Amino acid sequence: MTSLHNINNTGTASSLLLEDYVRTHIACPPHKKGKAGRKNNAKYLPKSHDSPFGDFPPEYKKNLRSSQNLTGRGANGLSMTGRSASPTKSSSPTKVVPRTHKRSGNGGASSSLLKGKKPPKAKAPKGGAFKKRQIPPTQFRRFYDRGDLPIAVEHKGTGNEITWKVDEKRLDYHHYLPIFFDGLREKEEPYRFLAVEGTFNLLQAGGAKIVNCIPQLIIPIKTALNTRDPEIICTMLKVIQQLVLSNELVGEALVPYYRQILPVLNLFKNFNSNTGDSIEYSQRKRLNIGDLIEETLQLLEIHGGEDAFINIKYIIPLYNSVVLS
């Protein structure tokens, strides 16, 4: 397990890019390279706008189905190749034969003493506690598309970084920090990279200004955790750890909001895969939800003061203290 007092979150956004490349180009069949996982995630992602200023009017959008029917003819009756389509031959009407029913006199009605096969029992419906939820649209994307955020991507050979047009320490944290936290549930680039990397940069440079912003960060944290998406949950857990370590007063300031943050962690606390003797690479990459939740709870207890453990125990009964033991 990673040391609680020396958690290195540098390169968290870059590691997400690497994991996407490994999943879509390396650890997938050759005929699905670059496409693996896109269809499954597309139904949960929010719909993007047609432009930074909103959607286009309906009359401006081209509708191909109105000009082409299913047979490939155009609006003037010509086929797509320019030739006139040959008329289809009218098929003769088929004679409808009345269906023979049991004991109707139209056929030999057979009977048997053999009992028929019992219909299969209906399976119990699933509760869907671990099922992914729809990801709500973020304010971060809207502000970035309009050019209201003083950030830009700086491409380097060893990895991308963020270029701040204004010094982070001079920013209004009450305005910008909740916007970056709201963008942590993004799964499309460049929004995800900018939101994750920008959040860590603000937390490292914030200091005492972060404590006053805690009430505004609870709703973005809760919304991201309620998506039940393992990738978003792992990212948010790393951000919460960095948030607790950013200032010594943040841990105690988070205690009144445990009821909004911890219920989802209680669901995924034992969300580990039984790999047997094989290697669990997600632990090295810090993508194992169960281990990240345990680290986060221990940090919250250590830095949350004397009332932290009893509040964690109330929501997560299976948690064992690392301070009292």
Side-chain angles (χ1 to χ4, degrees):
M1 182 180 294
T2 309
S3 177
L4 295 177
H5 298 282
N6 189 20
I7 295 177
N8 185 13
N9 280 312
T10 57
T12 302
S14 300
S15 65
L16 292 174
L17 295 175
L18 294 177
E19 283 301 313
D20 280 350
Y21 183 83
V22 170
R23 184 171 59 251
T24 57
H25 290 77
I26 299 178
C28 68
H31 64 281
K32 292 185 178 180
K33 282 192 175 182
K35 301 178 182 179
R38 290 185 180 180
K39 292 184 178 180
N40 296 333
N41 293 327
K43 60 182 178 180
Y44 300 110
L45 298 179
K47 179 182 176 297
S48 301
H49 292 292
D50 298 332
S51 71
F53 305 100
D55 294 332
F56 294 132
E59 59 270 12
Y60 279 39
K61 297 182 180 180
K62 297 181 180 180
N63 189 357
L64 298 179
R65 292 186 179 180
S66 61
S67 60
Q68 301 175 4
N69 53 21
L70 297 178
T71 60
R73 301 178 186 177
N76 54 359
L78 298 178
S79 62
M80 300 303 295
T81 58
R83 300 177 182 177
S84 59
S86 59
T88 58
K89 297 181 180 180
S90 59
S91 58
S92 59
T94 57
K95 185 178 180 180
V96 180
V97 181
R99 190 176 179 183
T100 57
H101 299 284
K102 188 176 181 180
R103 295 183 179 84
S104 61
N106 295 330
S110 60
S111 62
S112 176
L113 299 178
L114 181 64
K115 294 183 179 180
K117 186 179 180 180
K118 295 182 179 179
K121 294 183 179 179
K123 296 182 180 180
K126 296 182 179 180
F130 300 101
K131 185 179 179 181
K132 295 181 181 179
R133 305 297 198 265
Q134 187 72 28
I135 302 176
T138 64
Q139 295 292 330
F140 179 86
R141 176 178 298 201
R142 184 169 65 90
F143 279 96
Y144 179 75
D145 289 340
R146 294 193 316 187
D148 293 342
L149 300 179
I151 55 176
V153 181
E154 182 180 359
H155 300 279
K156 292 187 176 181
T158 57
N160 297 340
E161 294 182 0
I162 283 185
T163 301
W164 290 89
K165 302 175 183 178
V166 182
D167 188 11
E168 303 97 302
K169 297 181 180 180
R170 299 176 57 185
L171 293 174
D172 183 8
Y173 270 62
H174 284 278
H175 175 70
Y176 285 103
L177 192 59
I179 293 176
F180 277 87
F181 265 75
D182 193 53
L184 292 175
R185 60 178 184 270
E186 285 284 353
K187 299 194 68 174
E188 293 180 312
E189 301 298 338
Y191 309 105
R192 181 181 62 177
F193 175 80
L194 291 169
V196 176
E197 193 70 17
T199 301
F200 280 110
N201 291 350
L202 291 177
L203 293 179
Q204 292 172 0
K209 294 191 292 184
I210 300 176
V211 182
N212 298 328
C213 303
I214 293 298
Q216 302 175 5
L217 305 179
I218 301 305
I219 292 180
I221 294 175
K222 180 181 178 181
T223 306
L225 294 176
N226 284 337
T227 59
R228 312 290 173 91
D229 191 307
E231 180 182 321
I232 297 178
I233 292 177
C234 289
T235 303
M236 182 55 67
L237 290 174
K238 297 175 185 177
V239 171
I240 293 176
Q241 294 178 12
Q242 184 65 34
L243 177 66
V244 174
L245 297 177
S246 61
N247 190 270
E248 57 184 5
L249 300 178
V250 172
E252 296 184 7
L254 287 174
V255 174
Y257 305 103
Y258 281 175
R259 295 192 179 187
Q260 284 77 30
I261 301 174
L262 300 185
V264 178
L265 305 189
N266 187 30
L267 286 175
F268 290 90
K269 185 178 184 298
N270 297 322
F271 201 75
N272 289 318
S273 57
N274 186 4
T275 58
D277 295 335
S278 58
I279 299 176
E280 177 63 37
Y281 289 99
S282 62
Q283 292 180 338
R284 178 178 63 85
K285 300 175 182 178
R286 304 195 71 234
L287 295 175
N288 189 290
I289 300 182
D291 292 346
L292 284 175
I293 289 177
E294 191 67 25
E295 293 178 11
T296 305
L297 294 178
Q298 292 177 9
L299 275 175
L300 291 176
E301 181 189 2
I302 293 174
H303 297 272
E306 57 183 6
D307 296 333
F309 172 69
I310 190 172
N311 284 275
I312 296 176
K313 191 73 172 178
Y314 179 77
I315 302 173
I316 306 178
L318 297 180
Y319 175 72
N320 296 321
S321 174
V322 295
V323 177
L324 300 179
S325 59

